[in-house]
């Protein structure tokens, strides 16, 4: 659900992430939340697929957004240097 709109002949781009849960993937949840605001005790929820209650402490972060920005920055820095900017 990541979309890119290229503008100004490729000099600018707007990147959007449409998935509502993307922030939880980027930063993690529960005890694994990288910003420190996650639930530290864990919680129980009913999993309809498994037909039972499940205890969880959260999900580890799987960063994709900021690593992508860093890679893009490296690319554009190299491109600008190549053309003498």
């Amino acid at each position: 659900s990541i979309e890119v709109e290229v503008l100004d002949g490729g000099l600018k781009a707007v990147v959007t992430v449409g998935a509502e849960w993307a922030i939880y993937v980027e930063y993690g949840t529960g005890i694994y939340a990288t910003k420190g605001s996650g639930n530290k005790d864990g919680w129980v929820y009913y999993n309809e697929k498994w037909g039972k209650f499940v205890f969880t402490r959260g999900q580890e972060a799987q960063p994709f957004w900021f690593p992508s920005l860093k890679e893009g920055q490296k690319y554009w820095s190299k491109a600008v240097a190549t053309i003498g900017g």
Side-chain angles (χ1 to χ4, degrees):
S1 66
I2 298 174
E3 296 180 12
V4 178
E5 179 183 3
V6 179
L7 307 169
D8 293 339
L11 298 176
K12 294 181 183 178
V14 176
V15 181
T16 57
V17 180
E20 295 175 12
W21 59 85
I23 194 165
Y24 305 112
V25 175
E26 180 75 16
Y27 293 112
T29 62
I31 66 172
Y32 306 107
T34 59
K35 294 293 183 179
S37 59
N39 182 327
K40 301 302 179 199
D41 300 322
W43 62 95
V44 175
Y45 69 97
Y46 185 78
N47 185 310
E48 291 189 21
K49 181 178 177 182
W50 296 341
K52 65 180 184 176
F53 286 94
V54 177
F55 175 79
T56 185
R57 288 189 168 86
Q59 169 184 296
E60 291 188 35
Q62 300 172 57
F64 65 93
W65 181 254
F66 287 103
S68 299
L69 292 178
K70 287 179 183 176
E71 286 300 312
Q73 184 179 28
K74 283 194 264 183
Y75 171 83
W76 287 110
S77 294
K78 189 181 290 185
V80 168
T82 301
I83 60 172

